[in-house]
Structure formats: C-alpha cells, structure tokens
Amino acid sequence: ALAIFFAGCGDLCVKIALFDNVEEARAAGAVAAGWVPDTLPKSASDLREGHLPDGRYWGVFSFPKADEAAVRAMVGEEINSGTLTCDPPGRLDWWPRLVRTPVNVEQVRTTGFKLYRGTDARTYVVNWGQGRAYYWH
C-alpha cells in the first residue's frame, strides 16, 4: 500500500507550464532549466512542459511546415523498432497514451508519428504532417 501511495505522490510534485511561444518559455526560465529545448525555432507555439524534482521532464510544441528543417536538425537517429520507456505523471493530460510505458515503436509509427533519439539527449516523437512534436528526458 505504501508503494502505491508514494507512486501517486509523484503526480503531486510535477510542475506544469504552458507557453504561447518560445520567448515566453525563455522569459519564464524553462529554456535555461532545460525543460524546453533551446534549439526550437522561434515560430514554435503551443508549448507545454511538465517536470519533476528528480530531473525528468516531458514537453510538446507545434511548428509550421516552413520550420520543419529546423526541427529535423534537433532530432537525430530515427528509432524504427523496439520498446521504449516513458513514464509521465498522470497529471500531464496532454501527453498521448500511445507514448507511455511500454512504448511500442512499431505501433506508434502506424499512427503517423516517428520516434527519434534527439541530438540533445531527449527522445522525440514527431508527427511531421501535423507539425507537432513531443519529447522527454
């Protein structure tokens, strides 16, 4: 019972922030803290981030088609198979269920998303057609 209690406490510790654009995230200190990538194109919008005191964090942003090359420069090697671990707190209601442990790479890819090992040690899940990217570390 104690294990369940303490596991639930992680949700209480999560800090969540929403930003309209990168400049708002920068002004709030989210970029300097590392919760929002510093390489995002200036046109990125609808940024959301959630982080825990232990250093884990999750985020999402939208980007226009015109800045696809800038986002591609952030992501590295594509992940084509296997299973990944991603355990966001339940309070991140904007985090897709499909990208929760266990993350079945093949199944995620059938939905239009592609997974990448970022050049910045993050893992990215990108839907290029929608201009939407999720990341975690």
Side-chain angles (χ1 to χ4, degrees), residues 6-30:
F6 286 117
C9 288
D11 278 4
L12 299 176
C13 296
V14 67
K15 303 289 185 198
I16 300 170
L18 309 172
F19 308 104
D20 287 331
N21 54 53
V22 176
E23 289 311 311
E24 282 185 15
R26 194 173 307 284

Side-chain angles (χ1 to χ4, degrees), residues 86-100:
C86 180
D87 295 314
R91 288 186 58 206
L92 298 183
D93 58 355
W94 41 266
W95 192 261
R97 289 200 171 283
L98 188 63
V99 190
R100 292 180 185 261

